[in-house]
Amino acid sequence: MTRTVLITGATSGIGAAAARRFVSEGWKVVGTGRRKDRLDALASELPEGTFYGAAFDVCDRSSTEAALNALPAEFADIDVLLNNAGLALGTVPAQQASVEDWQLMIETNITALVSITHRLLPRLIERKGMIINLSSTAATYPYTGGNVYAGTKAFVHQFSLGLRSDLHGTGVRVTSIEPGMVETEFTVVRTKGNKAASDDLYAGSHPLTGDDIADMIYWTASLPPHVNINTLETMPVSQSFAGFQVARDL
Ligand code: NDP
Ligand code: 8X3
């Protein structure tokens, strides 16, 4: 039986790689994102009938609802919800950060994610489906400038575990995927278009790729139905942990 995954944020990075991976494994994919041209390009690249693009802003509740209501019948039976759409904005300490950036991260990474999850839960329960959420190593390991972004990802981690508990006995699986550095458009977005800063960050570091994370996402989804991966934390070998900082003479 062909299964269907709905991937938020399929226009680039991890979401686009996951869309290609699921289709290559015989799944149908509903891919979302604001950039309709990217969704159209993905639809043309993939075999006919395997990909349906739904262009909407996840922060706009009525567009989200309209898009989900308008899914064609052959893509409407969602088995897996991959909550991937998200962003970081800014790398400066809290005391220099923009509150508008903070609000947009909270709206995208938390409010939209819980709203779409709530909307699809009845169908996922009916189909004994699965929810895969994109958290981050930032949920666990603080770094300067991570502030609200890291907080949103800590929410995603804990929400995922809470869902596991609430969905006890339904057969619905829930996984929190928690990567470190993955080279995507993430840093271009975070720096508001500074491609050079993004290139500098990843240069020579052999970061994880969208395809690496798509492999892990697909693996969690393809395990037998009695197996649940609660959290999956991953980093490139080139990335690890640093110590605490100490201020003198305060
Ligand atoms: P990209 O910037 O490459 O992709 C982000 C995706 O999210 C895009 O498809 C974008 O679509 C979508 N998106 C963002 N805001 C909205 C919105 N308001 N409405 C609809 N879609 C939106 O980044 P990644 O692939 O790296 O990020 C994917 C997820 O992985 C994010 O949740 C991120 O926090 C997480 N992550 C990333 C890591 C990394 O190092 N790259 C590490 C750990 C976690 P569009 O712009 O077309 O709307
Ligand atoms: C993305 C990884 O380290 O930039 O979530 O926060 S990091």
Side-chain angles (χ1 to χ4, degrees), residues 38-55:
R38 297 273 189 108
L39 296 173
D40 291 345
L42 207 44
S44 330
E45 170 196 320
L46 294 169
E48 205 178 328
T50 59
F51 181 85
Y52 177 80

Side-chain angles (χ1 to χ4, degrees), residues 96-230:
Q96 292 157 25
S98 139
V99 76
E100 288 78 19
D101 284 352
W102 282 6
Q103 286 161 348
L104 188 54
M105 286 189 278
I106 292 167
E107 279 168 30
T108 312
N109 300 356
I110 298 180
T111 310
L113 181 145
V114 302
S115 303
I116 292 175
T117 302
H118 187 266
R119 169 66 172 70
L120 291 177
L121 263 180
R123 192 167 309 178
L124 291 166
I125 292 170
E126 194 183 292
R127 298 182 70 74
K128 290 190 169 32
M130 182 173 188
I131 300 165
I132 306 174
N133 293 325
L134 257 294
S135 174
S136 167
T137 48
T140 306
Y141 310 101
Y143 61 89
T144 306
N147 46 68
V148 167
Y149 175 70
T152 66
K153 293 301 178 178
F155 174 90
V156 172
H157 167 90
Q158 201 61 20
F159 180 57
S160 305
L161 296 183
L163 280 173
R164 276 279 287 137
S165 184
D166 287 359
L167 292 165
H168 181 78
T170 63
V172 175
R173 297 186 287 169
V174 186
T175 297
S176 177
I177 304 277
E178 311 192 347
M181 191 168 59
V182 188
E183 185 169 9
T184 61
E185 294 177 12
F186 178 84
T187 302
V188 175
V189 172
R190 186 171 207 167
T191 58
K192 302 191 176 163
N194 191 341
K195 180 77 169 63
S198 175
D199 290 345
D200 281 352
L201 175 66
Y202 301 121
S205 71
H206 205 163
L208 296 172
T209 65
D211 286 336
D212 293 328
I213 307 303
D215 277 349
M216 298 179 209
I217 290 168
Y218 182 73
W219 175 71
T220 65
S222 59
L223 287 165
H226 68 286
V227 180
N228 193 90
I229 303 297
N230 297 335

Side-chain angles (χ1 to χ4, degrees), residues 4-11 15-16 19 23 28-36 38-40 42-43 46 50-56 67 71 75 78 82:
T4 305
V5 54
L6 186 146
I7 303 174
T8 65
T11 56
V23 165
K28 286 193 285 192
V29 172
V30 177
T32 84
R34 289 163 299 185
R35 289 171 287 181
K36 186 174 181 314
R38 297 273 189 108
L39 296 173
D40 291 345
L42 207 44
L46 294 169
T50 59
F51 181 85
Y52 177 80
F56 61 91
L71 291 181
F75 284 93
I78 308 296
L82 173 54

